[in-house]
Amino acid sequence: MPETLIEINNCRIENSNKILIETLSWKMKEGENWLVIGPNGGGKADFVNALAGSLKIIPNSPEPDQSSNPIFSNIFQSSTEIVSLERAAKIIQEERENDESDYLEGGVDHGRTGRFFIAQGLFNIKKGEALPAEAKNFEAYPAIKLCGVEKILDRGLKYMSTGEIRRTLLARALISGKKLLILSDPFAGLDKESRSILLDFFTNLSNRSVKNENMPHIILGMERWHEIPDSITNVLEFSDKKITFCGKRDEYEKLIEAGKSKNEEILQKNKENLSKELDFSPAKNNSASSEILIQMNHVNVGWDENKVLVDLSWTLHKNEHWLIRGPNGSGKTTFLELITGDNKQVYCNDVHIFGIKRGSGETIWDIKKKLGIVSYRLHVEYRMLGSTSLQNVIISGFRDSIGLYGAATDSELASAKKWLKLGGFEGRETETFGNLSYGEQRAILILRSVVKKPEILILDEPCHGLDELQRQKILQLMELIAESGTTTLLHVTHDPSEILSCEKHILELHPGDSPMYKIINS
């Protein structure tokens, strides 16, 4: 009979303040490969974080008529490592909080490198301590090669792309020797090649762990039923902080198929509501105009010996909606940060935004008042102000601030309430940003970005962490905004299913090639 690895019977999950999931019963046996899934805020994140040890699993008091006592047993105990969007965001948050650039003679604190970060997981070394000799040979480790991080080991974490940080986290988890790996939404932010490698790796590792006790077991957490490895045998679904399915994969697939028509009805109604409430009816003429919004001439960006953008020339006209694509680390986020002003090398390049050359006396606020932004950087900054209410996060979109400073006007309050209702957050105005799941946080930031109907909407992997239904709703909103003729979209995504029909122009980045970019117009 298969050995029981984890058993949870009539327990609860709680943090230091409150109970998150009141009743939980689940069992994982040898030979089973589990997928944990569910809508944003439904309890999936609480469950995987509890298994990883960051939340408490506590047996409930037994009822008199119970046939079995509450129990929690886990053979993995502290031998668990988690790779998630939240974990990646926390790492960048730590790098920013510990940045000592202001106190260094050279003015730049590169922070922890990928090599040092991985070594911390193995040897428990602290900042400032010398690397063990073994860390200098990380390039030879199979896990390092598998994750494709050999060339970025000596780069600071703060200079890595989202996908590169995720791969570095995965490499550290694989090298750690932990017996249970929890991979939460592992494909988010990864390019096509990395997704394929990770999918093959998961399948091979799952099969080998059944036969080899030295191989780690894996629990896969996903927001969407998308790219699910064939080796998954069982599914655990959470919704409304409860288990709503626990069983075999084929049984869950039947439920997914049966629910498609219902979701289509929900999405159709959502589109009608958006069109009605936001008055985003298609403009009579929203084709590209001669008005130039952004112009870049022979732009070069990099640091040390690392060249990110090389001799890039590009022009954005009003109502030209662009898809920005390229492999992890190709410079997509750097390109967008030249526009938002978050990369200071814009001042030593020929970049014009709204007809003004950057560095000619305009302030960053002159630029940002015409921009709506969703990015990993913004998400990290807001996580550092987790006590901000959802209402104030939305209102801050009018003021281009991180957090809200000063009293909100009546019109701002009314607008925030309307957007929260459209986003499915009605009645939750006073909840704090930090208490939301990662996916819910992302949805709030998207609402914040569009609240003022900006001239340019910059979307850097906006659907990270969103469940399938929420993702489709956001894509509907983006399409309606594009059709309105008031806002021009710049959109980064690695997921082909997220490409919008309005995105007729593509900027494709090819690091190492000459030229390093290609423009495609359809």
Side-chain angles (χ1 to χ4, degrees):
M1 192 170 180
E3 178 188 3
T4 297
L5 305 176
I6 304 174
E7 183 173 3
I8 303 171
N9 185 55
N10 189 19
C11 295
R12 65 183 183 274
I13 294 176
E14 62 180 47
N15 58 21
S16 57
N17 298 317
K18 63 179 181 179
I19 295 175
L20 302 172
I21 297 178
E22 292 183 352
T23 305
L24 180 67
S25 294
W26 172 75
K27 187 181 295 186
M28 176 181 176
K29 294 183 177 181
E30 187 71 57
E32 295 176 342
N33 293 319
W34 281 85
L35 170 74
V36 186
I37 197 167
N40 298 139
K44 179 189 75 71
D46 299 327
F47 176 75
V48 298
N49 286 330
L51 287 183
S54 57
L55 294 173
K56 298 176 183 177
I57 299 178
I58 301 174
N60 288 318
S61 299
E63 297 294 335
D65 59 346
Q66 279 185 331
S67 59
S68 60
N69 291 323
I71 188 173
F72 170 49
S73 64
N74 182 355
I75 70 167
F76 303 110
Q77 296 181 357
S78 61
S79 188
T80 302
E81 188 78 12
I82 187 169
V83 178
S84 66
L85 288 165
E86 289 182 327
R87 179 74 180 107
K90 186 176 180 180
I91 290 168
I92 297 303
Q93 182 177 337
E94 290 171 355
E95 290 303 294
R96 296 195 176 185
E97 290 174 344
N98 297 325
D99 192 324
E100 298 180 353
S101 295
D102 292 341
Y103 309 104
L104 297 178
E105 185 176 341
V108 178
D109 178 5
H110 291 285
R112 291 176 294 179
T113 64
R115 190 184 304 275
F116 190 90
F117 175 70
I118 293 171
Q120 276 186 309
L122 279 178
F123 309 112
N124 196 31
I125 58 175
K126 294 180 175 59
K127 185 177 180 179
E129 294 182 356
L131 280 169
E134 189 175 341
K136 299 177 182 178
N137 194 38
F138 277 161
E139 286 86 347
Y141 282 46
I144 297 292
K145 295 179 179 179
L146 174 70
C147 297
V149 296
E150 308 102 300
K151 295 181 179 180
I152 61 173
L153 284 172
D154 295 311
R155 186 186 303 174
L157 295 173
K158 66 178 71 176
Y159 299 111
M160 293 185 185
S161 70
T162 308
E164 288 172 332
I165 290 173
R166 300 289 305 289
R167 287 192 275 131
T168 301
L169 262 174
L170 181 60
R172 170 169 151 155
L174 294 175
I175 291 174
S176 70
K178 298 293 179 67
K179 298 301 183 183
L180 176 65
L181 304 184
I182 301 174
L183 308 183
S184 182
D185 226 6
F187 300 106
L190 297 186
D191 56 39
K192 183 178 179 181
E193 182 180 1
S194 297
R195 285 169 180 249
S196 178
I197 291 172
L198 182 55
L199 195 61
D200 290 342
F201 155 76
F202 180 83
T203 300
N204 292 334
L205 187 59
S206 296
N207 292 336
R208 290 168 63 192
S209 66
V210 175
K211 305 172 184 177
N212 186 343
E213 61 181 15
N214 293 320
M215 298 300 293
H217 289 77
I218 289 182
I219 293 177
L220 180 64
M222 297 283 279
E223 305 291 352
R224 304 161 47 200
W225 186 260
H226 181 62
E227 291 184 311
I228 306 301
D230 293 337
S231 55
I232 288 293
T233 59
N234 297 70
V235 178
L236 182 66
E237 181 191 71
F238 283 88
S239 185
D240 297 324
K241 302 295 185 178
K242 298 176 182 177
I243 292 176
T244 47
F245 179 87
C246 182
K248 296 294 184 180
R249 173 185 180 140
D250 57 351
E251 296 171 359
Y252 188 73
E253 287 178 330
K254 292 176 183 177
L255 289 178
I256 291 288
E257 192 63 33
K260 282 184 178 179
S261 59
K262 181 180 179 181
N263 284 346
E264 288 173 0
E265 292 176 7
I266 293 173
L267 290 170
Q268 180 58 37
K269 185 176 181 180
N270 179 70
K271 187 173 183 179
E272 293 170 358
N273 287 340
L274 286 173
S275 299
K276 178 182 177 181
E277 294 290 334
L278 303 177
D279 191 26
F280 276 166
S281 55
K284 292 181 179 179
N285 181 13
N286 63 350
S287 58
S289 71
S290 59
E291 181 182 351
I292 295 177
L293 301 180
I294 302 173
Q295 188 163 10
M296 297 184 181
N297 301 307
H298 306 290
V299 165
N300 292 277
V301 178
W303 61 89
D304 298 331
E305 300 300 318
N306 185 37
K307 297 179 180 179
V308 182
L309 300 176
V310 180
D311 198 29
L312 172 67
S313 295
W314 173 79
T315 302
L316 173 68
H317 292 87
K318 184 178 177 63
N319 287 327
E320 279 185 353
H321 307 296
W322 283 76
L323 171 69
I324 318 298
R325 70 186 184 194
N328 293 142
S330 61
K332 301 182 297 298
T333 296
T334 298
F335 169 78
L336 295 180
E337 288 183 344
L338 291 176
I339 301 169
T340 63
D342 292 311
N343 189 306
K344 303 307 178 186
Q345 293 190 45
V346 66
Y347 298 114
C348 57
N349 278 286
D350 186 6
V351 178
H352 292 74
I353 302 179
F354 303 117
I356 302 172
K357 186 178 187 303
R358 294 307 311 273
S360 60
E362 86 294 350
T363 70
I364 187 63
W365 308 113
D366 294 328
I367 299 297
K368 286 197 172 182
K369 68 183 179 181
K370 298 181 181 180
L371 303 178
I373 303 168
V374 179
S375 68
Y376 193 61
R377 174 190 286 268
L378 179 71
H379 199 151
V380 169
E381 289 176 342
Y382 248 111
R383 285 174 63 88
M384 296 173 73
L385 291 176
S387 61
T388 307
S389 71
L390 304 190
Q391 176 177 271
N392 286 350
V393 173
I394 301 297
I395 293 172
S396 72
F398 286 110
R399 307 184 184 190
D400 308 307
S401 59
I402 307 298
L404 185 63
Y405 306 93
T409 66
D410 290 343
S411 63
E412 288 174 338
L413 288 168
S415 183
K417 189 172 183 179
K418 180 179 73 174
W419 278 101
L420 287 169
K421 179 180 179 180
L422 287 171
F425 295 91
E426 186 176 13
R428 302 175 64 181
E429 292 85 356
T430 60
E431 284 190 37
T432 60
F433 187 79
N435 284 336
L436 301 185
S437 71
Y438 188 94
E440 287 179 309
Q441 290 177 352
R442 200 66 159 192
I444 289 292
L445 292 178
I446 292 170
L447 299 177
R448 175 192 180 275
S449 73
V450 300
V451 69
K452 64 180 180 182
K453 296 185 180 179
E455 290 190 41
I456 299 176
L457 182 56
I458 296 174
L459 302 159
D460 192 355
E461 296 279 10
C463 295
H464 270 183
L466 299 184
D467 62 55
E468 183 59 30
L469 192 58
Q470 185 70 276
R471 169 180 165 273
Q472 290 294 339
K473 287 181 178 180
I474 292 301
L475 294 176
Q476 282 183 337
L477 175 61
M478 289 162 58
E479 284 279 15
L480 285 171
I481 290 173
E483 290 173 3
S484 73
T486 61
T487 299
T488 301
L489 306 186
L490 296 179
H491 181 203
V492 170
T493 182
H494 287 290
D495 191 334
S497 68
E498 294 174 2
I499 298 173
L500 305 175
S501 60
C502 64
E503 293 167 355
K504 307 296 185 184
H505 308 273
I506 301 172
L507 176 62
E508 197 171 78
L509 302 181
H510 299 276
D513 290 356
S514 183
M516 54 74 64
Y517 68 98
K518 181 188 297 184
I519 291 176
I520 304 169
N521 297 305
S522 59

